[in-house]
Amino acid sequence: MTQSARQSDVERPPGPSLPPGGQYLTKNEVLDFQWKAISALPDKQGWPFKTGMLALSVNSSFTGLVALSFFRRMMKVRTAFVMSSLPLVIVPFISTAMSWHAFINVPLLTGEVNCPVCIQIRGGVVNCIMGAVYPTLLAAPLVSALAARYKTVDLPTKHGIVGLYKYYSNMGRHMKTRFVTIALYQFVLGYYIATKEYQVYKKLGSPFLKVKEDDMF
């Protein structure tokens, strides 16, 4: 056996042998192929991938505005509405889109996760966190900074983290029902979009044979 043949055997990714005419593709190449196939689908069939992530991002921005409105009323902040609204619209929108792409679309389209239940639960959890928990946690310190600047309420800053935690806990009781409703809605929405994406993925079929776990398919 020649040295080049030995080197070829060593560098070959472990896994099933390729069919005639097959070739190894990187993860980016697989994603590019899949997105082209999705783009070729009619809008009625490919909408989960084409507009589903956009719908989730818009809902996250809406949740941010709801949380912002709640904390502004509780802390009696009446100024800087537009400036305080922009971060609660833009940041959750971008964060949700990036998280959904990284944790749902990429694993699904590359075949890393080929379990419908796993994708559905993951979609619900990701959207619940990014669409309900994250915007709410983002709104609280933003409005607190405005309240401290304009002195609309007395924040328990002298008591440290414990005092702030008790303050926000007492305030959160008034938002508990609303927050649970939003979180449940976001979970169901993420679950639904993930389910539809998996159905589109199965209809497309996957011509790829997984041969290596570190970015080679």
Side-chain angles (χ1 to χ4, degrees), residues 8-44:
S8 177
D9 290 339
V10 172
E11 294 180 353
R12 182 179 178 180
S17 58
L18 287 175
Q23 62 179 343
Y24 295 113
L25 299 177
T26 64
K27 180 182 290 187
N28 290 333
E29 290 173 335
V30 173
L31 286 174
D32 183 63
F33 181 92
Q34 295 285 54
W35 280 115
K36 287 181 180 178
I38 292 171
S39 299
L41 293 174
D43 292 338
K44 292 183 179 180

Side-chain angles (χ1 to χ4, degrees), residues 79-118:
T79 57
F81 176 77
V82 176
M83 293 302 297
S84 61
S85 298
L86 289 178
L88 271 300
V89 172
I90 297 174
V91 176
F93 185 94
I94 297 176
S95 300
T96 299
M98 294 177 61
S99 299
W100 189 265
H101 178 73
F103 294 106
I104 305 299
N105 286 346
V106 172
L108 179 60
L109 293 178
T110 57
E112 292 180 3
V113 179
N114 198 20
C115 167
V117 177
C118 300

Side-chain angles (χ1 to χ4, degrees), residues 75 143-145 147-148 153-159 164 167-168 171:
M75 298 185 188
V143 179
S144 298
V153 294
D154 295 327
L155 298 175
T157 55
K158 296 181 180 180
H159 301 284
L164 289 174
Y167 179 79
Y168 286 119
M171 186 184 302

Side-chain angles (χ1 to χ4, degrees), residues 130-171:
M130 301 308 300
V133 179
Y134 179 67
T136 303
L137 295 179
L138 188 65
L142 177 61
V143 179
S144 298
L146 292 175
R149 178 180 179 180
Y150 296 105
K151 299 180 180 180
T152 56
V153 294
D154 295 327
L155 298 175
T157 55
K158 296 181 180 180
H159 301 284
I161 298 178
V162 177
L164 289 174
Y165 174 76
K166 291 181 179 179
Y167 179 79
Y168 286 119
S169 296
N170 292 331
M171 186 184 302

